Amino acid sequence: MNKETNKKSCCAGNTVQIKETTKSCCCSGSLTENTKEVNSPAFINGWIDTKIGKIPLVSTKLSREDKIGGLKVRMNFGRMKYMVNPGLYGIGNPGDNSIVFVTANYKLTFDTLRKELGGLDAWILVLDTKGINVWCAAGKGTFSTKELVKRIEETGLKEIVSHRKL
């Protein structure tokens, strides 16, 4: 991966430019020191450097785009495609002792959680539930221990936090 113009998808569907030596990223992709972030979803308002690479920081305030998307989904437009990429996200200024919240990758669920975390420094670990909310995904088996362990490993969460509480 030392090609100057190699592009790779990482963290929350962002396209990143890979240069020189790469490091792991929050969603098992790769990032470098000189990474240029483009095509970030509107809810990402920055990035935080960690031991394993850059992790997206998300806003706790819902944008107009978030609200319109939520309204459309409630009216059954695009409901089966309304999701965020699984991975690790930050809220505020999270550190190694910050609490870790776990949720599904259904965007309405993700938005509800992040909206309630205003004023906190925390991590959000998003599981791949195939775009299904927590309640239904738990019943279907996609919000599971197996997926949780997989996502913890892929994101490098144990390198980022000093505790083992979720």
Side-chain angles (χ1 to χ4, degrees):
M1 271 247 183
N2 290 334
K3 294 181 181 175
E4 193 75 31
T5 59
N6 190 16
K7 286 187 180 179
K8 184 166 180 120
S9 177
C10 182
C11 299
N14 303 302
T15 303
V16 294
Q17 194 76 28
I18 304 298
K19 296 180 184 176
E20 300 168 16
T21 309
T22 59
K23 293 183 178 181
S24 62
C25 177
C26 65
C27 52
S28 72
S30 297
L31 287 176
T32 64
E33 306 297 325
N34 301 319
T35 299
K36 182 169 95 178
E37 297 95 9
V38 294
N39 300 329
S40 293
F43 58 83
I44 293 179
N45 62 359
W47 295 79
I48 186 168
D49 286 315
T50 68
K51 295 176 187 176
I52 63 144
K54 292 185 180 210
I55 294 178
L57 291 172
V58 297
S59 173
T60 57
K61 297 200 186 321
L62 298 184
S63 67
R64 183 171 189 257
E65 181 180 309
D66 293 324
K67 292 174 184 175
I68 291 171
L71 182 61
K72 285 181 180 178
V73 164
R74 290 179 193 279
M75 294 171 50
N76 209 20
F77 292 103
R79 195 178 102 222
M80 301 308 292
K81 297 176 186 172
Y82 200 58
M83 59 184 93
V84 298
N85 285 343
L88 188 61
Y89 299 85
I91 294 280
N93 188 25
D96 65 340
N97 284 319
S98 297
I99 190 167
V100 179
F101 292 91
V102 181
T103 191
N105 73 327
Y106 182 50
K107 188 164 183 305
L108 214 51
T109 302
F110 177 77
D111 285 350
T112 300
L113 175 61
R114 70 184 173 95
K115 182 178 76 170
E116 296 302 321
L117 299 179
L120 291 180
D121 296 325
W123 299 105
I124 300 176
L125 182 64
V126 178
L127 304 186
D128 184 4
T129 60
K130 312 298 185 231
I132 300 171
N133 67 58
V134 172
W135 176 271
C136 295
K140 192 172 185 171
T142 55
F143 192 89
S144 65
T145 303
K146 182 179 177 181
E147 172 60 19
L148 178 63
V149 170
K150 176 184 173 190
R151 201 58 52 193
I152 288 170
E153 291 298 317
E154 285 185 2
T155 60
L157 182 62
K158 62 186 176 183
E159 301 295 323
I160 296 172
V161 296
S162 58
H163 59 83
R164 299 298 178 252
K165 298 176 187 171
L166 302 172

